[in-house]
Amino acid sequence: MKKIFQFLPIALLFSVSAYAQYGSNSQTPVTDNLGNPIPVSTFAKVKGSPYVYDDWVPGQITNLDGKTFKGLMLKFDESNNLLTFVYNKGDEPQRFATPVKIFTLYGDRERVFASQFPKIDGLKSDTYYEVIAAGKTMLLKHNKVSIRQTRDDNNAPIDGRYTETRTYYIFRDNKIARIKPNREQLLAVLNDKAPQLKSYIDSQKINFNNEDDLKKLITYYNGL
């Protein structure tokens, strides 16, 4: 199967019949804050984007069977939890026939997304979270992207705007918990190593609004 990504003509034949099913991102419904579908044509224009990256970016995936495939161009629609791929940017977008457990986007930086976590806050096991920090204890982020209406002087909806709500979670011991990324909550959740973490937070001047600092903190915790 790994040769699928090394020989393009063979790959295209296999992708139609066995590996993927065609689907266009342009036909993907968007939703409002309550999760109700909103046709994009309802609005004169929609500002923003539901995608992590608007353009196709290089990436790789690992499916539920444990098979890893590289050499793909990926695009992830956060509003619909939809991952699609092409071999070349001009190709028709395709959906994966076999569920994807983990995927990596190589855009401006490497970003890893994973699924198969316990259900929480209405999120299902196939929901993708961005992995901010990996290890025995993981820091995850879920972005809820929805369309919010903007109105004219007569209070009539005219435009839409994609809005993003970030929520952070800690996953360990096969359990997931929602947290606010601040000193108090992280020390409470990771209380078995609280003294060491307090010293590290102070010495490193951890900024809890900075995801790189949060990653440093969880990585340090996993190394204790």
Side-chain angles (χ1 to χ4, degrees):
M1 287 293 293
K2 290 185 178 180
K3 291 184 179 179
I4 283 179
F5 302 102
Q6 298 172 1
F7 301 99
L8 186 57
I10 296 177
L12 289 174
L13 289 173
F14 275 55
S15 65
V16 174
S17 61
Y19 189 71
Q21 50 192 341
Y22 284 103
S24 172
N25 281 326
S26 64
Q27 300 302 313
T28 301
V30 294
T31 58
D32 62 19
N33 291 333
L34 298 177
N36 301 312
I38 300 178
V40 173
S41 58
T42 298
F43 305 102
K45 58 183 177 180
V46 179
K47 299 177 181 179
S49 170
Y51 302 108
V52 175
Y53 295 104
D54 290 341
D55 199 5
W56 297 98
V57 296
Q60 69 177 53
I61 66 101
T62 299
N63 63 27
L64 287 181
D65 298 332
K67 297 177 181 178
T68 297
F69 300 97
K70 302 179 180 181
L72 295 172
M73 303 298 292
L74 301 176
K75 186 179 284 191
F76 180 47
D77 177 353
E78 292 185 298
S79 67
N80 291 284
N81 195 52
L82 176 62
L83 179 68
T84 52
F85 79 95
V86 294
Y87 296 102
N88 295 293
K89 290 186 177 182
D91 295 343
E92 179 74 10
Q94 302 181 57
R95 302 188 186 196
F96 291 92
T98 302
V100 173
K101 182 178 181 180
I102 302 171
F103 65 91
T104 304
L105 302 177
Y106 301 106
D108 56 335
R109 55 193 170 89
E110 181 179 313
R111 300 176 70 173
V112 178
F113 294 78
S115 64
Q116 308 309 309
F117 296 101
K119 297 178 181 179
I120 188 174
D121 295 339
L123 305 176
K124 302 177 181 179
S125 60
D126 63 354
T127 297
Y128 290 109
Y129 298 79
E130 184 169 2
V131 180
I132 305 302
K136 185 176 180 180
T137 294
M138 303 175 70
L139 177 63
L140 308 172
K141 179 178 71 173
H142 179 260
N143 287 334
K144 180 181 179 181
V145 176
S146 57
I147 281 191
R148 194 167 294 209
Q149 295 177 345
T150 59
R151 299 177 179 273
D152 62 14
D153 294 337
N154 297 317
N155 205 32
I158 53 172
D159 292 335
R161 179 185 294 276
Y162 287 102
T163 62
E164 177 182 284
T165 302
R166 299 180 179 181
T167 308
Y168 292 88
Y169 297 87
I170 287 287
F171 175 74
R172 64 173 176 171
D173 299 328
N174 294 317
K175 297 178 181 179
I176 190 168
R178 174 166 33 92
I179 65 160
K180 291 184 178 179
N182 58 40
R183 180 188 182 103
E184 292 73 20
Q185 285 215 3
L186 282 169
L187 287 176
V189 172
L190 309 175
N191 58 12
D192 58 321
K193 303 291 183 181
Q196 297 97 314
L197 290 178
K198 287 179 181 178
S199 297
Y200 185 79
I201 290 169
D202 292 338
S203 65
Q204 298 297 311
K205 295 180 173 57
I206 294 297
N207 178 359
F208 291 91
N209 294 317
N210 185 304
E211 287 186 355
D212 288 336
D213 278 11
L214 294 175
K215 179 178 180 179
K216 282 172 53 178
L217 181 61
I218 301 301
T219 299
Y220 173 75
Y221 171 82
N222 282 327
L224 293 174

